[in-house]
Each structure stands twice: as C-alpha cells, then as structure tokens.
Amino acid sequence: MDKNVILDVKNLRTQFFTQDGVVNAVNGISYALHEGEALGIVGESGCGKSVSVLSVMRLLQEPPARIQADHILFHGQNMLDLNTLEMQNIRGSQVAMIFQDPMTSLNPVRTIGFQIREPLMLHLGLSEEEANERCAELLTLVGIPEAETRLEDYPHQFSGGMRQRAMIAMGLACTPSLLIADEPTTALDVTIQAQIVDLVKKLRDQIGMALIWITHDLGIVAGLADRVIVMYAGFIVEEAKVDDLYENPQHPYTRSLLKSLPRLDGSRDEKLMTIEGLPPDLIKLPTGCPFGARCYLAKEKCFSENPPLIQNGNRRVSCWVNVETGEYR
C-alpha cells in the first residue's frame, strides 16, 4: 500500500436485514484516501454515501446491519479486526466525524464545554483546567466570539450555524488525521453554508488533515474537494479529479446531475435536464446497470450485465457506453 494512503477501503459491502428483505445499501465499493487529500462523495439521497462512511467508522448496529469488506485499512490497520474499545480509541482521536444535524448530535442536557472537553480528557489525558483552555481555543478557532463565556452554554442557546461550528471544534479537539463530514451544511442557510465550507478549508490547510465530505450538493464539492466519487444505488459509477469530473463527466448519471444544475455562464434559454424515473429498489437490484432504466444512452447490454468500474487514465468509470459518441466503449 502507498505510504501516503491513510485510508484504503477494498470491496466494502453493507446490507440491512429487514422484514421486507435484505437491503443492499453498499455494493462492493473500493477507494483510497491520501494524507491531506479532500475527497467528495456525491449522489442523490439513498445512494449509500452516508452508510458507506458509517460502515468504515463501524457506527452501524450489527444486526440489523452486516458490514463486510476485503479490508478497511486506516494507517495500515484493518478496522474490521478491531474490538469495540479499540474502535472507540480511534474515533475522536484519529478519525472525527461531523454529522448532518448538530441538534441531534449534541447532547441537549450537557454544556458545549463539557462535550468538547470530554474527548480531550479521554484521549489526551488533559486535566479539566487544561481541557477548558483548549476548549476556548477551539471555539475561537472555529469563529465563535467570546468563547470563554460560551463554554457553559447549552446547545439550545447556540444558533444552527454556531452548533455546527461547535461540532467541528469537537471533531478537531484531538487533531485527527481524518475528518469525515456527513452533509454538515444541509440544515443551514446558504450564507452559513458558505461560512462553514470556508472554515473547513482553512482548518484543513492549518492542520493538514485528510477530509471526506459527503453531500448531494455538487456546488459545494467543486470548491472543496481534490477528487470526487459519484455513487448510485450503492455502487461507485465514476471517480475523478474534481476539475476533470466537472469539465468532462464520463458517466451518463454524472453528466445528467451536472446538466440539472443552473450555471452562471449558461444561456437563459437552455433548459435544465431532468432525470426521469426513480432509483432502483435496493432489495431487488436489477441484473444489469442500476442506472440503466433511467439512462438516456442505455443499450441492450446495459440491462443484462452491470459494467465493472474500469480505470481510464486518472479516473474510474462504470459504463458500457462512451458518453461522447453514444456507442459501446
């Protein structure tokens, strides 16, 4: 494994066993993340983005979930082999996660200071006084004014944007080498979204941590990520460097997503593209390409065989058809 790779996920599969049947949420995805790199994972709701990283972090209840993979290597250590206590030691200290809704992620009956102080005392062995000083530094770092006076406030006394900043401060408390952000700006208005994204970019440059940013908002990823993974129905359908993906998407799904977004440099007469139909039922996945039934380029082979994810230069694409010519590759 490349020495600069801090996270190497190979053939990750996650299923949920329900009364209706087995939900195939993640279907054999593989990727690597390098030191200091920002990776965006995009796709519509229900495509497996969040489940994939919750699987990596071992945060899913087993059962009903079942997580399988050839390996999930973090700094060369297979996280599937670790027990509960060993995983708890990694979470927060080496890998931190920011969740979508800070109001449900923060404990409403504990002060903000207590919740940031806890990992500092647990993982770094700081005294309460040292931890309080560090808490104030962290809250100042993430842009909360008069931080010392806010440590004894409760989550309901913070605005939505401030709660998310407090979550980021909590995540950064032990200076992790990897920060995972699971749609952290979805519940915030556009102005606060931009502030949070700028903050994470600045902190990433200061600390040098790697970043996985999960979102359905392609606009955010464009200015944040170095590389982008596009997921659909639990599969990776395309992976490329961010500039390459936006300039020349090679999968019909990626192309359709980008054409559905309004552009500042686009013509006012140009209609936005819509993707007809619905994603497939994850309990009864189709035999062929999962996007085949909605694809404007679908051919006969697309309905009988799911294309493998093929390396093509600096990108990986899972499609039988060349999007430029409309013919088989």
Side-chain angles (χ1 to χ4, degrees):
M1 189 174 78
D2 187 336
K3 288 182 180 178
N4 292 324
V5 172
I6 65 165
L7 179 66
D8 182 31
V9 178
K10 185 71 178 292
N11 197 22
L12 174 63
R13 306 172 303 284
T14 305
Q15 297 173 312
F16 293 95
F17 292 83
T18 71
Q19 290 181 334
D20 296 326
V22 180
V23 178
N24 300 288
V26 180
N27 300 301
I29 69 170
S30 302
Y31 62 88
L33 180 71
H34 295 80
E35 288 181 3
E37 182 183 28
L39 175 69
I41 302 180
V42 302
E44 59 195 292
S45 297
C47 71
K49 307 184 298 295
S50 297
V51 172
S52 69
V53 293
L54 290 171
S55 301
V56 167
M57 294 282 282
R58 302 264 306 277
L59 285 172
L60 297 174
Q61 185 71 36
E62 297 182 78
R66 182 169 70 186
I67 302 167
Q68 296 174 300
D70 293 356
H71 61 238
I72 302 173
L73 300 179
F74 179 66
H75 288 299
Q77 186 175 34
N78 192 354
M79 294 209 283
L80 291 174
D81 296 336
L82 304 182
N83 61 34
T84 302
L85 182 59
E86 288 169 330
M87 277 305 303
Q88 284 176 352
N89 289 334
I90 285 178
R91 295 188 204 114
S93 62
Q94 300 177 55
V95 185
M97 192 160 180
I98 307 168
F99 294 94
Q100 182 169 339
D101 184 0
M103 201 57 204
T104 55
S105 304
L106 292 167
N107 188 331
V109 299
R110 293 289 192 181
T111 64
I112 293 291
F114 177 90
Q115 296 182 66
I116 301 175
R117 192 165 58 233
E118 195 174 30
L120 291 167
M121 297 170 72
L122 177 68
H123 294 299
L124 301 184
L126 299 187
S127 67
E128 188 170 340
E129 186 179 346
E130 291 169 332
N132 272 333
E133 286 181 19
R134 178 65 176 148
C135 284
E137 288 174 12
L138 286 163
L139 288 179
T140 302
L141 185 67
V142 297
I144 292 180
E146 301 175 2
E148 295 87 351
T149 64
R150 305 305 303 266
L151 292 178
E152 298 310 307
D153 284 354
Y154 289 85
H156 72 268
Q157 294 173 277
F158 277 40
S159 68
M162 289 173 73
R163 284 195 293 267
Q164 198 58 281
R165 287 170 185 268
M167 279 290 297
I168 293 170
M170 198 185 307
L172 297 177
C174 299
T175 320
S177 56
L178 170 59
L179 178 67
I180 299 173
D182 184 9
E183 304 215 31
T185 60
T186 299
L188 307 176
D189 66 56
V190 177
T191 307
I192 306 298
Q193 275 188 22
Q195 291 175 4
I196 296 294
V197 170
D198 286 343
L199 171 64
V200 170
K201 285 166 73 173
K202 183 180 76 173
L203 294 173
R204 180 178 153 240
D205 290 340
Q206 286 179 4
I207 298 170
M209 62 188 175
L211 174 68
I212 296 178
W213 189 284
I214 297 160
T215 183
H216 60 267
D217 189 333
L218 287 154
I220 288 177
V221 168
L224 184 68
D226 301 313
R227 190 159 47 93
V228 183
I229 285 173
V230 182
M231 288 188 68
Y232 185 81
F235 295 91
I236 293 176
V237 294
E238 185 166 7
E239 177 189 348
K241 290 183 177 179
V242 64
D243 291 342
D244 295 339
L245 187 92
Y246 282 78
E247 287 172 14
N248 188 23
Q250 291 295 299
H251 193 281
Y253 178 59
T254 314
R255 187 158 286 206
S256 299
L257 282 179
L258 290 171
K259 286 191 175 181
S260 69
L261 295 174
R263 295 174 59 103
L264 288 173
D265 58 354
S267 166
R268 294 183 66 178
D269 299 326
E270 189 178 344
K271 286 189 176 181
L272 297 179
M273 187 171 186
T274 57
I275 304 175
E276 301 293 336
L278 296 169
D281 184 347
L282 296 179
I283 294 176
K284 300 173 185 175
L285 283 169
T287 306
C289 173
F291 187 59
R294 306 173 75 189
C295 183
Y296 62 94
L297 291 175
K299 296 187 177 296
E300 187 177 345
K301 190 176 183 179
C302 303
F303 298 101
S304 60
E305 194 177 343
N306 193 5
L309 192 62
I310 300 295
Q311 190 80 34
N312 182 11
N314 286 328
R315 74 169 77 216
R316 295 191 295 165
V317 184
S318 170
C319 189
W320 295 121
V321 181
N322 185 319
V323 291
E324 306 293 344
T325 64
E327 301 299 322
Y328 285 116
R329 289 182 182 274

